[in-house]
Amino acid sequence: MGNDSTTQRLRRLLEERILLFDGAMGTMIQRAGLGEEDFRGARFRDHPDSLQGNNDLLVLTRPDVIREIHQHYLDAGADIIETNTFNANAFSQADYGLEAAVYELNVAAARLAKEATASRVDQDAFVAGAIGPLNKTLSLSPDVNDPGFRALTFDEARDAYAEQVRGLIDGGVDLLLVETIFDTLNAKAA
């Protein structure tokens, strides 16, 4: 993650004042009114599954939209912006047939956010690698007739999060943010 000087600057600022995070990425993406073509871009034009709603994919297909959202939050005074990676894990991306792109999505999202923070020269800004929930839980069975059944193992959840974290770190995030994970065992895996 961030180098020692970045970590020191972040800690110093946290001792001085409350730092502000950005706001909801998904809401801002919805405001952009994007369609299936935006999510596909040229690269995924022939992908067999629908991609609309895969907001994480926009870091590859419409980075201009994500960059603009980051810039709005920075202009509004955010000290920390989150990567657009809430669902950039193998289980969530499997819904779109894009689990092979997970690492690339995370690296691209981190780099895009870092580029946005570099544009602010008047004060420090940091990038938090957003790690959201999986679409499967470790604590509850998806089968009411088999309460002991689990759709994934702890190791599978941990490995999915590890792949995401590797991409975020390799992309240059300053810190990691585990967020909105409603299953405590999934959070432990993260």
Side-chain angles (χ1 to χ4, degrees), residues 6-42:
T6 300
T7 303
Q8 290 170 356
R9 285 193 334 266
L10 182 58
R11 285 186 178 168
R12 182 178 34 82
L13 280 172
L14 285 167
E15 290 174 3
E16 293 174 9
R17 65 183 177 85
I18 294 171
L19 300 184
L20 302 175
F21 268 86
D22 59 3
M25 178 65 74
T27 303
M28 296 294 279
I29 290 171
Q30 286 178 354
R31 286 184 183 174
L34 304 176
E36 180 72 27
E37 315 78 48
D38 295 296
F39 289 89
R40 287 181 176 280

Side-chain angles (χ1 to χ4, degrees), residues 24 40 47 62 69 79 81-82 90 113:
R40 287 181 176 280
H47 189 72
R62 288 297 307 270
I69 293 169
D79 298 297
I81 59 171
E82 299 173 51

Side-chain angles (χ1 to χ4, degrees), residues 53-119:
N54 187 355
N55 291 347
D56 305 76
L57 186 59
L58 295 171
V59 300
L60 300 178
T61 61
R62 288 297 307 270
D64 58 310
V65 171
I66 303 305
R67 188 178 298 110
E68 184 178 339
I69 293 169
H70 286 319
Q71 196 60 55
H72 284 310
Y73 283 123
L74 289 166
D75 292 346
D79 298 297
I80 302 171
I81 59 171
E82 299 173 51
T83 56
N84 183 39
T85 53
F86 188 77
N87 289 304
N89 63 70
F91 289 103
S92 296
Q93 288 302 311
D95 288 348
Y96 300 97
L98 291 174
E99 53 270 43
V102 167
Y103 176 82
E104 181 183 5
L105 289 171
N106 284 281
V107 170
R111 289 181 178 161
L112 194 58
K114 286 299 283 186
E115 289 170 13
T117 61
S119 71

